[in-house]
Amino acid sequence: MSNLNPETASVLTHTTSRTASGGRAPQFTLETFSSKDFIVKDFIEELSDSAVPGSRKSVPASSQQAFDPKPLIRTFEHALNRLNSQSEDLEERENELSGAVRRAEAQHNQNVESLGRRLEQAIDRFQRLDSSLNGGDDGGSDSGGNIAMRIGERLEELDRQRKRAMDAKFLIECWQEVSERGELNILEDHRRSGGIVRCAEIARQLLRISARLDPENNQRANGVELNGNKRKTMAQQKHNTREVIEKFLENLEQDLLSKFDECYRRPNYDGMRDCAVALRGFSDGSSVIATYISQHSFFIDRHQLVSEELALNDEAWDALQDPDMEPPSVEPTLQSLIDEVRIVVQEESAIIKRAFPYYEEVLIRFVERIFQQSIQQRLEMVLDKANDLSSLAFLRALAASRAYITQLVEDLKAHGLTEHPEPVTSQVAATLDQQLEELFSRYFIGSSYIEREKKNLEELYSSLLLKFTIYHSRRRKMPTSYFGSLAQRGKELASSARDAYMDRLESTDLPASQKATLLRIAGVKDDQQDKKDIEVTDEDGRLSLATAKRMLKWLAEGVGRGLELSPGNETPKDVQNLLNLLLQQMGEIYLETALDAASDHAASQENSKTPPDLVHLSSLHVITTILHLLQQTITTILLPLCTPNLTIRREIEKSTNTTMATLEAKLSNILNLTLTASLNWVSRCLAQQKKTDFRPKDDADLMVTSETAACREVAAFLTRVAQQASGALSGRNLSLFLAELARGLRALVLANLLKFTVSQVGGLSVSKDMNRYGELVRGWPTGDELEPGAMDVLSGVSTLFIIGPEALRDRVRGAGQDAQELKLFIGRREDVSSVGVQSVLNGM
């Protein structure tokens, strides 16, 4: 047994014997096989080990003994008998359990059937009861349900009648007491017992009874004279019931207000609610609402701070009125007030809902008091301070304040206040919108707002362009012409705008800080306010892209404010007003003046005896860039804002197109004048061409190494013109200008060639010059504006002077329409009278 598995040995116990009579059958039970650790192999091995006698196990392995199977056979036979016995026991137990299961199923089926019958009986009884209560199928009036309902209604009616009877009895007793003794002790006792609400209702009913049963006292109380009979009747009465009741009501109201205040200080919301219900009958609760609002700590604390100084420092106020700086946010004390209002209204809404049954009315009065007293006072202080600084400071403060208070209103609506977490009621929302509108309505009467914006922009633009207009007003006047008249009109407009601006600076209506800001923008010192004393330089008279960007930025800021502040239906009209101002200031005063100056300079160079100074071309690049910015601003920003009003949109498009057409026409005129001046100088250079250039006399001139002097001078000049044009123009404008310049050069060169007699050697000089002109033009970015091979005609003409008669005949063969022009150039050959050349001419 020492070699057995301990786990198996615990459940399997048997002994073996070498003798048949002394052996015992293996002992095991059903639990042995039901164990989770049972393994068949281990079970067989254990049976085998138990069958081997102990003496055999102790024999050394070296000794050889014959195998004896008998112990194993006996052990397995006993184990098999035991297994058969246990199998029979297991089958018997299984049969017993199967019988118990069948009996339990039969009993369960009987129980289910019994419970089903009982459920059907319960449902049937319920249906009969329900039919009885609901009047049955015939709906009879005497059914149990209808009877019970009528009994309940009758009991409720009797209860109401009993209460009315008791109230009537109490009312009569009170009336008798007040009419006979002039007292209300019963009512006083009822009030002291805690029935304040009912006491107030009874007192008001007594007042109505007094008005009916005691009209004489009421008339006397109302100041109506009584006749003799009525005075006699009044003399018989001892007490004036109306005065007694009214005095009682006054005392009751004061007591209720005192109790309400006491409950408010504890706080006791249920007590506040009872008092509010009772006081609802006194002037519709206005007294209790006024008491609640006036005693609120917010108004008491804020009343003490109403004279608090504004919190912005000097740098913030300076930034507010500086158009080139980003405006600061809302003024700190106003921001603090609005933030506090947001918290107070949200928290107080919960208290109002608990303390007042008519909480919506109280909340509306509370909100109105906050907006009309606290916010309005602080807002006016901020805007008055900003208005004392400058128009721009006022507009910026107005926009920032409006945006912040609008956000307050939206936050309160979203919070829900007394309806939290749901949105506020429509009446409260309308009140908030109305209060917001009333805060700012005075600043948007009629066209007052947009006039402020226009006035602000006009002052800023006039300051920015002051030195520019002064510089150009001092230029000499040009001769009268169409464009000269247009220039004169522009000068008059700029002069009138400048004079109006100077008058504005000298007026006392302009705040000192705004005057200083405008002078700083204009670059003028305080002691140079007289326009005669203002010093200007050439730089002041030049266009500046930075200046144009500042003007557009200021306009964009004004348009943005208008979108926030003006009603939506006024936006197209406001945009039109601001755009007209921009077109006048930037278009007519700034760009047209610069174009007129450039045109004057270009015209002065047309017949110059020295190489024309084309310095005016440098300004064209800035002009075209500003024109592009202006057009893009109008197209992408301003026009879409006017879409709701098609009439105004068409007017804006018309005025914009007119301004652009005028500016582009002046620009084209400058380019034409520049072309004329350039070609005139080319003509002067070609006029210096020597006769010997194309008909050398000496043999020393037979070697042609370079172009003629006139050609070199023309090439150098046109190279400089092309460079200046490339720096001033771009795209199609540059291509058109250079293409026209090339055509003019070609025409002048060909015309100049017809003035000279060209020898065969001189033809080489002609060829050199023509090739140089062609190379010059081919280096220009003319694009598709100049037809391909436009300058090849020069090379073709130069060959007419080099080739012999036979080659010349082949060259002109098939000339067609160009034959007559070719004859002119052939006629300038030195050997034109020779037989060969004459035969060519005759053949053409």
Side-chain angles (χ1 to χ4, degrees):
M1 295 295 292
S2 60
N3 295 332
L4 289 177
N5 189 332
E7 296 179 356
T8 309
S10 62
V11 295
L12 175 61
T13 57
H14 61 275
T15 58
T16 57
S17 176
R18 296 179 64 183
T19 63
S21 60
R24 294 179 56 188
Q27 300 294 323
F28 44 83
T29 62
L30 292 175
E31 284 75 7
T32 302
F33 304 101
S34 63
S35 174
K36 62 180 180 180
D37 297 327
F38 175 77
I39 301 176
V40 176
K41 180 180 177 182
D42 295 341
F43 177 71
I44 300 299
E45 289 179 353
E46 291 170 0
L47 287 179
S48 301
D49 292 342
S50 63
V52 178
S55 59
R56 292 180 64 87
K57 294 180 181 179
S58 59
V59 176
S62 60
S63 60
Q64 298 294 330
Q65 293 184 2
F67 173 71
D68 186 8
K70 293 180 181 180
L72 292 173
I73 293 172
R74 287 193 294 270
T75 299
F76 284 120
E77 285 177 351
H78 290 310
L80 182 59
N81 292 335
R82 181 60 179 165
L83 288 174
N84 290 334
S85 175
Q86 288 186 351
S87 177
E88 293 174 358
D89 294 341
L90 184 61
E91 184 177 359
E92 183 179 354
R93 289 178 61 186
E94 182 180 1
N95 293 334
E96 290 176 357
L97 291 175
S98 298
V101 169
R102 287 192 295 272
R103 289 191 297 272
E105 288 179 350
Q107 184 64 37
H108 173 70
N109 292 334
Q110 292 178 1
N111 292 339
V112 171
E113 290 178 0
S114 175
L115 291 175
R117 287 192 299 270
R118 292 172 63 183
L119 178 60
E120 291 176 357
Q121 292 173 1
I123 293 174
D124 185 58
R125 288 196 298 271
F126 173 77
Q127 289 178 348
R128 288 198 300 271
L129 178 60
D130 183 65
S131 177
S132 175
L133 292 176
N134 292 330
D137 295 336
D138 57 354
S141 60
D142 295 334
S143 60
N146 290 334
I147 292 174
M149 187 179 298
R150 287 199 300 272
I151 291 174
E153 293 174 353
R154 183 60 179 166
L155 288 175
E156 291 177 358
E157 180 65 24
L158 290 175
D159 183 63
R160 286 194 294 268
Q161 291 178 1
R162 183 183 68 83
K163 289 182 179 179
R164 284 199 297 269
M166 293 177 64
D167 292 341
K169 177 185 176 184
F170 185 75
L171 184 62
I172 292 171
E173 291 176 352
C174 293
W175 173 250
Q176 287 179 343
E177 184 180 27
V178 71
S179 62
E180 294 177 359
R181 298 196 300 271
E183 299 175 351
L184 286 172
N185 293 329
I186 300 176
L187 207 55
E188 286 285 354
D189 295 339
H190 187 71
R191 182 175 65 83
R192 284 192 291 269
S193 64
I196 299 178
V197 178
R198 186 165 181 264
C199 184
E201 183 180 354
I202 294 296
R204 286 191 291 271
Q205 290 179 350
L206 289 174
L207 192 61
R208 289 193 292 269
I209 293 174
S210 175
R212 285 190 176 187
L213 301 182
D214 195 6
E216 291 83 2
N217 282 329
N218 283 280
Q219 291 179 2
R220 186 176 63 179
N222 293 329
V224 180
E225 281 295 326
L226 304 176
N227 56 29
N229 294 332
K230 289 186 177 181
R231 290 195 190 96
K232 185 175 181 180
T233 303
M234 286 297 301
Q236 295 175 357
Q237 294 183 355
K238 298 179 180 180
H239 308 287
N240 188 332
T241 56
R242 180 182 179 86
E243 292 180 358
V244 174
I245 297 171
E246 287 181 346
K247 184 176 181 181
F248 176 80
L249 286 172
E250 292 175 1
N251 294 333
L252 179 62
E253 183 179 10
Q254 294 302 320
D255 292 344
L256 286 171
L257 290 175
S258 300
K259 184 177 180 181
F260 179 87
D261 184 62
E262 180 182 352
C263 294
Y264 176 68
R265 297 180 186 280
R266 290 181 184 175
N268 179 3
Y269 299 116
D270 293 335
M272 291 172 64
R273 191 178 186 87
D274 292 339
C275 295
V277 171
L279 288 166
R280 183 64 168 173
F282 298 91
S283 303
D284 290 332
S286 59
S287 59
V288 67
I289 296 175
T291 300
Y292 172 76
I293 294 176
S294 61
Q295 294 184 359
H296 197 281
S297 59
F298 175 80
F299 298 107
I300 296 175
D301 297 340
R302 277 291 167 182
H303 181 71
Q304 297 173 356
L305 299 176
V306 68
S307 59
E308 180 185 4
E309 291 294 330
L310 301 178
L312 279 180
N313 53 33
D314 293 339
E315 293 181 358
W317 287 116
D318 292 341
L320 191 65
Q321 58 183 326
D322 189 344
D324 295 319
M325 296 183 66
E326 290 297 325
S329 58
V330 65
E331 196 275 330
T333 60
L334 178 60
Q335 181 179 2
S336 173
L337 170 63
I338 295 172
D339 294 341
E340 184 178 357
V341 166
R342 182 183 289 105
I343 297 173
V344 168
V345 173
Q346 291 177 359
E347 293 178 349
E348 203 65 24
S349 298
I351 298 175
I352 291 174
K353 188 171 184 178
R354 295 178 62 183
F356 292 91
Y358 40 95
Y359 55 83
E360 187 176 54
E361 180 180 348
V362 180
L363 178 62
I364 289 175
R365 294 275 295 276
F366 184 71
V367 169
E368 289 176 347
R369 176 75 176 273
I370 286 179
F371 274 83
Q372 295 174 7
Q373 180 175 316
S374 302
I375 296 180
Q376 183 171 353
Q377 289 178 355
R378 179 56 54 175
L379 177 64
E380 290 177 353
M381 290 180 63
V382 172
L383 295 182
D384 290 344
K385 171 66 174 178
N387 193 41
D388 292 339
L389 294 176
S390 68
S391 301
L392 178 61
F394 173 84
L395 292 170
R396 285 180 165 181
L398 180 66
S401 303
R402 174 68 179 266
Y404 207 75
I405 297 176
T406 301
Q407 187 59 47
L408 166 67
V409 171
E410 296 302 323
D411 291 344
L412 294 179
K413 289 181 182 179
H415 179 270
L417 303 180
T418 53
E419 309 301 320
H420 182 75
E422 299 296 327
V424 296
T425 62
S426 58
Q427 189 172 358
V428 175
T431 300
L432 289 171
D433 291 337
Q434 180 183 0
Q435 294 304 312
L436 175 64
E437 185 66 25
E438 290 178 355
L439 278 178
F440 297 95
S441 59
R442 55 182 290 193
Y443 306 110
F444 300 98
I445 299 175
S447 59
S448 59
Y449 164 72
I450 195 61
E451 290 300 326
R452 279 179 177 268
E453 285 285 2
K454 287 178 60 179
K455 181 180 177 182
N456 168 62
L457 281 177
E458 189 171 3
E459 290 173 348
L460 293 176
Y461 288 165
S462 299
S463 297
L464 187 61
L465 304 180
L466 177 63
K467 284 191 173 182
F468 179 83
T469 56
I470 291 177
Y471 176 87
H472 287 282
S473 67
R474 295 174 182 175
R475 289 191 300 111
R476 64 185 184 86
K477 297 182 179 180
M478 293 299 296
T480 303
S481 63
Y482 171 70
F483 285 103
S485 63
L486 292 179
Q488 187 64 27
R489 187 190 65 179
K491 292 176 184 177
E492 293 174 356
L493 179 61
S495 178
S496 62
R498 184 186 64 252
D499 293 341
Y501 170 75
M502 299 302 295
D503 294 340
R504 172 71 172 159
L505 285 180
E506 295 172 0
S507 68
T508 57
D509 298 337
L510 194 66
S513 58
Q514 182 175 358
K515 182 178 180 180
T517 300
L518 295 178
L519 290 175
R520 179 183 59 79
I521 293 174
V524 177
K525 298 180 181 179
D526 292 341
D527 56 353
Q528 294 181 341
Q529 295 181 22
D530 190 348
K531 62 183 179 181
K532 295 180 180 179
D533 299 333
I534 298 177
E535 298 179 359
V536 293
T537 62
D538 292 341
E539 187 65 28
D540 295 325
R542 295 191 182 98
L543 287 180
S544 169
L545 185 59
T547 298
K549 288 182 177 180
R550 290 174 74 184
M551 297 176 73
L552 293 176
K553 178 186 175 184
W554 296 345
L555 176 79
E557 181 181 340
V559 172
R561 274 195 301 268
L563 291 176
E564 296 178 1
L565 299 178
S566 293
N569 57 346
E570 295 293 329
T571 297
K573 187 176 180 181
D574 294 347
V575 170
Q576 183 183 27
N577 288 327
L578 297 181
L579 177 60
N580 289 338
L581 178 63
L582 178 68
L583 292 178
Q584 180 187 16
Q585 295 286 335
M586 180 179 283
E588 298 182 20
I589 295 180
Y590 196 47
L591 293 179
E592 280 195 33
T593 301
L595 287 171
D596 293 338
S599 179
D600 292 346
H601 184 272
S604 67
Q605 302 299 312
E606 278 187 302
N607 299 310
S608 176
K609 296 181 180 180
T610 59
D613 182 10
L614 305 181
V615 67
H616 59 274
L617 284 178
S618 60
S619 65
L620 297 187
H621 176 69
V622 181
I623 292 175
T624 54
T625 304
I626 294 175
L627 273 175
H628 178 72
L629 285 177
L630 178 61
Q631 192 167 17
Q632 287 296 108
T633 300
I634 296 173
T635 304
T636 61
I637 299 177
L638 302 182
L639 276 180
L641 298 177
C642 301
T643 301
N645 193 321
L646 296 180
T647 301
I648 292 180
R649 182 185 174 94
R650 284 193 292 268
E651 292 176 356
I652 288 179
E653 290 176 344
K654 182 179 179 181
S655 60
T656 302
N657 292 336
T658 301
T659 301
M660 290 297 176
T662 301
L663 295 174
E664 290 173 358
K666 291 195 173 189
L667 183 60
S668 298
N669 181 58
I670 293 172
L671 295 177
N672 290 331
L673 291 174
T674 304
L675 282 172
T676 302
S678 300
L679 294 176
N680 285 347
W681 182 253
V682 169
S683 180
R684 291 178 64 90
C685 291
L686 293 176
Q688 304 300 320
Q689 192 93 51
K690 298 178 181 179
K691 294 182 179 180
T692 57
D693 289 342
F694 301 143
R695 194 178 181 184
K697 297 180 180 179
D698 301 330
D699 294 340
D701 297 332
L702 294 178
M703 298 299 295
V704 178
T705 59
S706 63
E707 303 87 3
T708 63
C711 176
R712 290 194 296 270
E713 186 175 356
V714 169
F717 171 71
L718 291 182
T719 299
R720 179 165 57 87
V721 173
Q723 291 176 348
Q724 290 179 314
S726 299
L729 303 173
S730 60
R732 188 168 181 266
N733 290 333
L734 176 62
S735 300
L736 285 172
F737 177 81
L738 294 177
E740 289 298 324
L741 186 62
R743 295 187 186 100
L745 171 64
R746 183 183 62 186
L748 290 175
V749 168
L750 292 176
N752 180 68
L753 194 58
L754 293 175
K755 299 178 182 179
F756 297 93
T757 299
V758 182
S759 65
Q760 192 171 14
V761 176
L764 297 177
S765 297
V766 172
S767 179
K768 282 283 187 180
D769 288 357
M770 299 303 115
N771 290 334
R772 179 70 181 96
Y773 295 138
E775 292 174 0
L776 175 68
V777 173
R778 281 191 289 273
W780 294 348
T782 55
D784 297 334
E785 301 302 328
L786 184 65
E787 56 275 9
M791 303 302 290
D792 294 344
V793 65
L794 297 181
S795 300
V797 169
S798 66
T799 60
L800 298 177
F801 301 103
I802 301 174
I803 58 180
E806 293 300 327
L808 183 63
R809 182 177 291 106
D810 296 335
R811 173 71 177 80
V812 300
R813 185 179 292 118
Q817 297 179 353
D818 298 333
Q820 295 301 321
E821 295 182 4
L822 292 178
K823 289 178 67 174
L824 295 177
F825 290 103
I826 295 173
R828 304 308 302 170
R829 285 174 61 114
E830 185 181 30
D831 57 349
V832 64
S833 59
S834 65
V835 175
V837 174
Q838 285 296 322
S839 65
V840 172
L841 291 176
N842 294 331
M844 294 177 65

